[in-house]
Amino acid sequence: MRARRNLVTTAGLLGAAAVLLTGCAQDPAEAPGKGAPAGGKAQTTLTVGVFGAFGLQEAGLYDEYMAQNPGIRIEQTSIERNENYYPQLLTHLGTGSGLADIQAVEVNNIAEITSTQADKLVDLGKAPGVDKASYLPWKWAQGTASAAKGGATVGLGTDIGPQGICYRKDLFEAAGLPGDRAAVGALWAGDWNKYLEAGKAYKAKAGEGKAFVDSASGVMAAVTGSSAQRFYDDQGKVVYKTNPAVRGAFDLAASFATEGLSAKLQQFTPAWDQGFANGSFATVSCPAWMLGYIQDKAGPEGKDKWDVAQAPKPSNWGGSFLVVPKAGKHAEEAAKLAAWLTAPAQQAKLFEKRGSFPSASAAYKLPTVSGAQHAYFGGAPIGEIFAKAAEGVPVTVVGPKDLVIAQNLADIGMLQVDQKGRSPQEGWDAAVKAIDNALDQ
């Protein structure tokens, strides 16, 4: 959920203030005597609309592009939260005005964009310098409209959130479990049910009150994220109620609550934050972008206590795209910029400077990714761990209301099981009722 990641990035790293989206690029630099570079030629101003501290500007990529292309000036506008940004983007696409030359789209919104807005966006799959083979197949598929909608690749991925399992080495070893990350990963390799069994083994030695996971909802999201089909089928039909992968993920996650393995915390709350510092739980499903968050919340005392191992199955949480509206004043130049910003070399730089894991698999061979280690997590080879996870994520069907379904399963259904002691069936029924009501609106 990039929306939640957005809160992490904004609050935890920069505290960036919201800036309202401006109208179409007015290009004041093109007026006589304004913004002309040394050679006297007027500049072209490209605008980029994003949400939160997106990272492209902070990593210096705009400055690098402008240095290489002196005829281009880049201006970014940002709205702090995606839930405020995205409705405005839909409105502007509908009217064909008020758009930046390049717009960011969060992964939970990309299906709606490709299914309802593709005809208003440039086919970036045909942009100069774009090579489909350089990108993860599942990420490329997410940004591509169906054949019925023209089949254009309208979104180029910027980053992804491949998941590992972050764990406390000291707590594992105190409970008689291995602390070495390879041995830890072997405990549950290939099967989420083995993760549950590891939790039971941990509890048996650690004792009552020693939680294995932070929350049942976090487990459910990770398990669901490893399935090729989740809430929609490939025809766009809502199938979460009848999909055994979804119900199976719900029931497995509920077992962490009913077996007393959960700290019963809601993610991205003050209590959850404090749990990292207090050692309130031994494991958490963690995408690459969460490592910095854990370091921040656990503090200096957590260094070398936290480590990261491979998850039972490859799973993804988060990521975004860049799209280029056809209504933009400089669509051709914007497509070139979007292609450059999402190219493997730039994605590797974004990872190095901001921790955003590349969606371009060609970047995984670059030293800044392949050799990346995280000192706080015991020197964990995070480039290797998360690249392996990313390459194993299945091509997943993403639907326009994925976020609505996922949030209700977590916050209405699983939270009742985890915190209020409701039965798994009661939690499921409450979630289904809330989801159906939301989808009918």
Side-chain angles (χ1 to χ4, degrees):
M1 298 177 187
R2 176 70 182 247
R4 289 187 176 178
R5 181 208 165 167
N6 176 37
L7 295 178
V8 172
T9 307
T10 304
L13 296 177
L14 296 178
V19 181
L20 292 177
L21 265 178
T22 58
C24 288
Q26 297 299 308
D27 261 342
E30 294 183 351
K34 292 185 179 181
K41 182 180 178 181
Q43 288 182 314
T44 295
T45 298
L46 297 178
T47 55
V48 183
V50 303
F51 50 90
F54 203 75
L56 301 174
Q57 179 170 277
E58 294 82 0
L61 295 182
Y62 297 158
D63 289 338
E64 184 177 346
Y65 189 82
M66 288 188 288
Q68 295 177 13
N69 300 271
I72 298 293
R73 186 174 69 187
I74 302 170
E75 295 180 353
Q76 177 179 287
T77 59
S78 176
I79 290 179
E80 189 172 3
R81 298 168 66 92
N82 183 54
E83 49 262 52
N84 297 325
Y85 165 88
Y86 182 64
Q88 291 191 32
L89 175 58
L90 287 180
T91 298
H92 294 318
L93 284 170
T95 62
S97 63
L99 291 158
D101 293 302
I102 295 175
Q103 298 276 177
V105 177
E106 199 264 340
V107 64
N108 285 300
N109 303 127
I110 193 63
E112 185 171 19
I113 291 295
T114 58
S115 62
T116 67
Q117 308 294 327
D119 60 326
K120 300 166 186 172
L121 301 171
V122 173
D123 185 352
L124 295 177
K126 299 177 180 178
V130 173
D131 180 6
K132 179 180 178 181
S134 295
Y135 296 83
L136 291 163
W138 60 268
K139 185 71 172 183
W140 183 272
Q142 287 178 343
T144 302
S146 66
K149 297 293 183 178
T153 299
V154 297
L156 292 178
T158 55
D159 65 315
I160 54 175
Q163 297 201 74
I165 299 293
C166 291
Y167 67 98
R168 281 280 297 260
K169 288 184 289 189
D170 57 332
L171 298 182
F172 265 49
E173 290 169 349
L177 296 179
D180 174 75
R181 68 180 67 93
V184 169
L187 290 174
W188 47 66
D191 189 346
W192 283 105
N193 286 290
K194 292 181 180 179
Y195 185 45
L196 176 64
E197 293 307 312
K200 292 178 181 178
Y202 175 83
K203 179 184 176 182
K205 292 289 186 70
E208 292 293 332
K210 299 292 185 180
F212 183 66
V213 299
D214 62 320
S215 68
S217 294
V219 175
M220 179 178 63
V223 178
T224 305
S226 62
S227 298
Q229 187 180 93
R230 300 179 298 179
F231 310 137
Y232 288 77
D233 65 15
D234 55 9
Q235 302 301 312
K237 180 182 177 182
V238 177
V239 295
Y240 80 95
K241 281 188 283 190
T242 57
N243 183 0
V246 175
R247 184 59 193 263
F250 188 93
D251 288 343
L252 176 62
S255 294
F256 282 81
T258 58
E259 294 286 347
L261 305 179
S262 170
K264 305 181 185 301
L265 298 171
Q266 186 172 14
Q267 294 185 328
F268 301 103
T269 63
W272 188 67
D273 292 348
Q274 193 61 43
F276 286 108
N278 294 343
S280 300
F281 45 87
T283 70
V284 59
S285 301
C286 59
W289 51 262
M290 193 184 284
L291 300 187
Y293 189 87
I294 294 173
Q295 180 176 346
D296 179 51
K297 300 306 178 183
E301 296 79 9
K303 187 177 187 298
D304 293 325
K305 292 180 180 178
W306 280 98
D307 208 325
V308 57
Q310 214 75 55
K313 289 186 177 181
S315 179
N316 183 74
W317 176 8
S320 293
F321 299 80
L322 297 181
V323 301
V324 174
K326 291 179 180 177
K329 190 173 182 180
H330 304 292
E332 184 175 346
E333 287 293 344
K336 292 179 183 177
L337 173 58
W340 186 88
L341 289 170
T342 57
Q346 280 62 254
Q347 291 203 24
K349 293 172 187 174
L350 190 62
F351 171 64
E352 180 182 22
K353 296 180 180 180
R354 301 288 298 176
S356 300
F357 204 79
S359 64
S361 53
Y364 302 163
K365 299 176 183 178
L366 301 177
T368 52
V369 180
S370 64
Q373 298 181 346
H374 203 299
Y376 187 87
F377 289 79
I382 59 173
E384 177 185 334
I385 290 171
F386 290 115
K388 182 178 179 180
E391 291 173 336
V393 173
V395 177
T396 305
V397 178
V398 180
K401 300 300 180 183
D402 265 23
L403 183 58
V404 171
I405 297 171
Q407 285 186 333
N408 279 288
L409 284 171
D411 297 341
I412 300 297
M414 191 57 64
L415 204 61
Q416 292 191 16
V417 178
D418 206 11
Q419 294 188 354
K420 298 182 180 180
R422 303 282 294 276
S423 71
Q425 186 62 49
E426 288 174 324
W428 175 264
D429 291 341
V432 168
K433 182 178 180 180
I435 293 166
D436 287 351
N437 287 339
L439 297 183
D440 286 341
Q441 293 179 359

